[in-house]
Amino acid sequence: MIERVAEIQEQAEAEISAASTAAALEELRVQYLGRKAELPQLLRDVAQLPPEQRGEAGRTANQARQSLEAMIDAAAAKCEAAEMSAALADDTVDITLPGSPVEAVGHHHLLSATRREIEDVFCGLGYSVIEGPEVETVHYNFDALNHDPAHPARGRSDTFYIEGDGEGPEQTLLRTHTSPMQIRIMEETPPPIALIVPGRVFRRDSDATHTPQFHQIEGLLVDEGVTLADLKGTLLAFARSIFGADRELRLRPHFFPFTEPSVEVDVSCFMCEQGASPEGDRCSLCKGTGWLEVLGSGMVDPNVFAAVSEHGYDPDTHQGFAFGLGIERIAMLKHGVPDLRFFYENDLRFLRQFG
Amino acid sequence: MRVPIDWLSEYVEVDLTAVELSERLAMTGTEVARVLHHGPVSADNFVVGKVLSAEQHPDADRLRVCSVDTGDDEPRTIVCGAPNVAAGQTVSVALPGAVMPDGTKLGEAKLRGVKSSGMILAEDELGIGSEHDGIMVLTDELSAGTPLSEVFAVASEVLEPEVTPNRSDCGGLYGIAREVHAATGGALSAPPWADDPGAPTIGQMPAGIAVTVEDAVLCPRFTARVFENVTVGPSPIWVKARLAAAGQRSISNVVDITNYVMLVSGHPLHAFDLDQIAGAALTVRSARDGETLTTLDGEERVLDADICLIADADGPTSLAGVMGGSRSEVSDQTTRVLMEAAVWDGANINRTSTRLGLRSEASSRFEKGLPPEGALEAQAMATALMLELTGATLADGTLDVGGDGAGANVIRLRDARIVSLLGTPIERDRSQQILEALGFNVTAADDGLDVTVPHWRRDDVTREADLIEEVARINGLESLPPTLPLNRTGRAGGLSREQRLVRRAEDVLVGRGLSEIVGWSFTDPEVCDRLLLDDDHPLRALVVIENPMSSAQSVMRPSILPSLLDAAAYNLARGAEGCALFESGSVYRSGPGEDGMAANEHHGLGAIVTGPAREPSWADPQPPIARIETAHALVSAVLGALGIDWQVEQGELPFLHPGRTAMIRSEAGLLGWFGEVHPGVASSWEIAQPIAALAIDIGRAAAEAPRQTMFSDLTSFPPLREDLAVIVPAGVAAANVVACIIAAGSPLVNRAEVFDVYEGEQVGEGRVSLALHVDFAADDRTLSDEDVAPLREKIVAALKSELDGELRG
């Protein structure tokens, strides 16, 4: 019997090795290990053998059966994998067809995307982001900011006023800058403060380079011992974050009613080397000057602190800087948008390019 | 203002090129908008000539053949077409090789057979005025061959500075010269008014004229001098050339003198024909409402009581500080001139010129506020020119009402304060040098300098910070070290919670394929009618602009919807099949807002989707059209992201489809709406397809969002899900079915959600079948069928009794 088991095993192993399909292996499984097969029959017959032979014969037959089973399983798994591979190899599609269904992601407007980018720079420097009302009073928009009562910007030709019965400082208008929030915040928060105010502002101007509404970000930092050099360092950090790590900064003295000293801030052009393109042409972005005017700023005028002195701001001990930049201008410079009108036309072909 | 460098050089030494000078000025606070060139490129080959003879051209009636001495060995022949050319004249000649202002290079030419080697010049050929009727005739003292540039400025670079509004002193060349002196170190000449030929007459009243100033606030100073034996005529060529380079037209010697002095001193003057002043008396007063005055430009101006004027016995004769009147204008017949140099209230002049739409060189200077002292400086300079150029004699007396301004302010400039404001020191000697160059008087003090402010900076420099700015700007800001301030606020900064949530809401919409627009805050008041608002609808409480740029932009938008419709219409008209847009921005209603706000503004988040709810593709060629459920899903996404509990409520809004309007309600009240735009509204925007729309008061929603989410155990005991199909009468809201199930299944039913809706024969007419997932769960055990079965019966019973519902199949 032991010899017979060995014969069966040898024969079966040869046939299993030769089988190449899962179906053939299933047949072999039935043939050698099925209920009516010889090997299981031999196993059942072990009980009829003399007791002294049963041990060895049983062990041998059992081992043979387990060995064949394992061999068939392994061969079957291999076959199935090969068959699946073959089937998958035949099952191809054109992977270059577009995705579907189209769940296109939308776009932030370039002005919003730029605003967020700038906000994030100053958030990183520890500034809070504050927003304020767009309909303001003469007091907050002009008086408290040291605006000369005769300043032409207050005129009906420059500023939008709101119909109503407010008079004098309480007359309402559309804010012409985000600066009124300087005063509103200082009235509420004692120094030190560090904040930026993004928002929509309005001026009565409409031509190729002006729209009657536009967007600004105002910055204000007040503490003891704040210097113009601190302003320069802060704006350098801003310029490098927005326009690239190689940028330099240039301060030009200027005049604004609410800062003293006041400076216009230029950033070195990121499209050229000192005004000339690599081909030697005059740079069209900076008009050959090598510098881009990006914002106005300065040290907060002592009169502005005087207007909020009862809230803890002392013109003799507190110093601060303020800056204001146009989001449209930054976006136009950075992305090469040639005309302000694109921002307000809301043409999808424009909107989808950004954000 | 235009600053010819040639003219400027009379007051300050200029060693830089025009471009270098403009860069230096820009870096010290005076932006130069442009550098222009006036006249020919170069003054080479332009000389003085003497006409020796002028004969008729043999073959041309209108040409003369002239023999002209231009200082060479031989006279040269020049053919000239001017009618006034004559032997004995001293003229200006362009020799062959000269380059004319238009760029053409002069050569020798034959004119009707006669060779002409040069050109006798008329004014317009050198860019001086428009005179072309005749050649320029120069004074006879000049010798032949003298370079023309020694006679007058033939060619000059011209700067166009943009003077900041605080620098009224830079409204004249001498003020600019002072800046150049401080910025470059070029030597500054004494001011051209230093010697006043009329000085002895100050304080006496001139005979034959009386002046009354009724309002010293509107007119802080009024000075006048009287000139007799005046001969009005053309100005000499050097005056004309300078005025032309500065952009001023020459009119007559007297008028040119007023302009010349204004361009140098920055202080405007006005010349009256004294014999045209009725009653020989002037009164400075406010106009009467409706009073009229014909100004020099020939326009009749209707005045109001806020306008200041100068009147004589016959009424208004000059618009103070803005423009003279035609009645007392200097003419060829004038022999007696009253020269007025006054100071006017800047704000009032600004108002007048704005109100009348009349801006002049004078008004643009006066509106910045000029110092009273400037009036007599201008008189001094004008007197010298009147005596020199018009043959006039100065009558005794200088009328002066008002006198000088307030005494000089002395300000301490502390070294320590310079460091603390700038972050870098400036040597005391350097500060002193800069301030003295700018005309300040400086004396040493213990801790710095005592600085006396000159009258021309009286209004501008009033505090230590102003002095520091002066010192810093001239010293240069290039060397300022960039440092970062200590941020000692004790706050981390960053976005507020509400701002982060608004960003999140916007990001959700972007993630769902919507593109953000930025619309106008302005709108047309007719938008209320287009939105079909009733007459008393609260959205009609518009914020109205008093001085709009157009009626289409005359009110502030009361809703976020119209700008979205504008953008949709714009894009659909340009071929878009549909669009998915949102906007995040302010909307405005009149009346006081919260927290001291002047108007009722809130931050709105609006969206519209029209056309395919998503873009069609090859595998999804016909996606559903956006309808109310599209808007509903967006609202769910936004408010879900913010963690806000909300419910849908029936509503009514005039601009939405009445059968497809839903209000968004949370515990705190209404947060907004969604639905489909009323077809009548859509057609007003010329949109014919359904528009799904939503609006959320996102400021309020963000404020209301839960501050902090606390953990719930949803994993230890998973829910048991059952699906129910319920047939209810049509018209029963799905939300009511859900509410009924949750109430009846309390406390173990925590969620019920509609996943299918069916209407048709199988459920019978007037009835609808809703299929719902119902989740049963407890937080302390896994539920078994025995737990759920009784609740299920309760639910079925409740649906039957409350909603006339029954289980299907």
Side-chain angles (χ1 to χ4, degrees), chain A residues 100 134 223 230 252 260 301, chain B residues 31 463 483 488 588 617:
Chain A
S100 179
E134 293 167 21
D223 197 351
D230 290 338
R252 274 182 295 112
E260 188 83 12
D301 194 287
Chain B
E31 185 88 26
R463 301 151 313 170
T483 55
R488 304 189 310 142
Y588 315 80
S617 72

Side-chain angles (χ1 to χ4, degrees), chain A residues 240-263:
Chain A
R240 289 182 173 173
S241 299
I242 299 293
F243 293 109
D246 300 333
R247 300 278 67 74
E248 294 299 335
L249 210 63
R250 183 172 86 167
L251 306 186
R252 274 182 295 112
H254 197 67
F255 169 78
F256 302 111
F258 33 87
T259 50
E260 188 83 12
S262 303
V263 289

Side-chain angles (χ1 to χ4, degrees), chain B residues 62-64 80-85 120 132-135:
Chain B
R62 297 192 0 208
L63 297 180
R64 311 282 188 90
C80 177
N84 66 332
V85 68
I120 301 177
H132 188 65
D133 289 347
I135 54 161

Side-chain angles (χ1 to χ4, degrees), chain B residues 101 202 242 267 276 279 282 297 322 369 373 462-463 530 563 601-602 616 638 652 673 677 710 786 800 805:
Chain B
I202 294 172
R242 283 190 164 175
H267 201 106
Q276 303 304 320
L282 292 176
D297 54 8
V322 180
E373 291 79 358
T462 59
R463 301 151 313 170
R530 295 175 82 191
S563 53
E601 277 174 52
H602 71 260
V638 168
E652 213 175 306
W673 50 261
V677 173
M710 299 310 292
E786 289 81 63
K800 178 80 191 160

Side-chain angles (χ1 to χ4, degrees), chain B residues 209-269:
Chain B
I209 181 74
V211 173
T212 310
V213 175
E214 287 188 357
D215 189 335
V217 173
L218 293 181
C219 177
R221 190 174 208 180
F222 190 100
T223 72
R225 282 179 175 172
V226 170
F227 295 89
E228 289 165 340
N229 306 314
V230 175
T231 306
V232 176
S235 289
I237 189 67
W238 63 269
V239 170
K240 287 184 176 181
R242 283 190 164 175
L243 292 179
Q248 283 276 334
R249 200 162 54 94
S250 172
I251 292 164
S252 68
N253 51 4
V254 172
V255 176
D256 287 356
I257 285 169
T258 63
N259 285 329
Y260 189 96
V261 173
M262 174 184 73
L263 290 172
V264 175
S265 70
H267 201 106
L269 305 97

Side-chain angles (χ1 to χ4, degrees), chain B residues 180-351:
Chain B
V180 172
H181 167 59
T184 69
L188 184 71
S189 309
W193 50 82
D195 293 318
D196 180 4
T201 72
I202 294 172
Q204 313 165 33
M205 290 291 277
I209 181 74
V211 173
T212 310
V213 175
E214 287 188 357
D215 189 335
V217 173
L218 293 181
C219 177
R221 190 174 208 180
F222 190 100
T223 72
R225 282 179 175 172
V226 170
F227 295 89
E228 289 165 340
N229 306 314
V230 175
T231 306
V232 176
S235 289
I237 189 67
W238 63 269
V239 170
K240 287 184 176 181
R242 283 190 164 175
L243 292 179
Q248 283 276 334
R249 200 162 54 94
S250 172
I251 292 164
S252 68
N253 51 4
V254 172
V255 176
D256 287 356
I257 285 169
T258 63
N259 285 329
Y260 189 96
V261 173
M262 174 184 73
L263 290 172
V264 175
S265 70
H267 201 106
L269 305 97
H270 181 63
F272 290 87
D273 183 335
L274 182 51
D275 294 316
Q276 303 304 320
I277 296 177
L282 292 176
T283 302
V284 176
R285 63 167 170 83
S286 297
R288 299 182 187 97
D289 273 328
E291 213 168 4
T292 60
L293 167 66
T294 303
T295 41
L296 283 176
D297 54 8
E299 295 279 319
E300 181 172 273
R301 311 279 175 180
V302 181
L303 311 180
D304 65 36
D306 291 328
I307 290 175
C308 185
L309 58 73
I310 304 172
D312 64 10
D314 289 346
T317 190
S318 178
L319 194 53
V322 180
M323 192 175 273
S326 63
R327 196 154 55 79
S328 52
E329 186 180 1
V330 170
S331 70
D332 291 351
Q333 281 74 49
T334 301
T335 59
R336 296 203 306 147
V337 166
L338 179 111
M339 188 66 76
E340 167 216 315
V343 178
W344 309 100
D345 177 64
N348 181 258
I349 296 297
N350 176 252
R351 186 198 165 278

Side-chain angles (χ1 to χ4, degrees), chain B residues 412-416 418 425-436 442-451 471:
Chain B
R412 174 70 55 88
L413 173 61
R414 294 166 290 172
D415 299 337
I418 294 179
I426 295 175
E427 293 297 321
R428 199 182 292 185
D429 289 350
R430 176 68 178 140
S431 298
Q432 176 160 3
Q433 182 200 356
I434 289 167
L435 290 167
E436 285 176 347
V442 180
T443 56
D446 291 347
D447 54 350
L449 301 169
D450 279 327
V451 182
V471 172

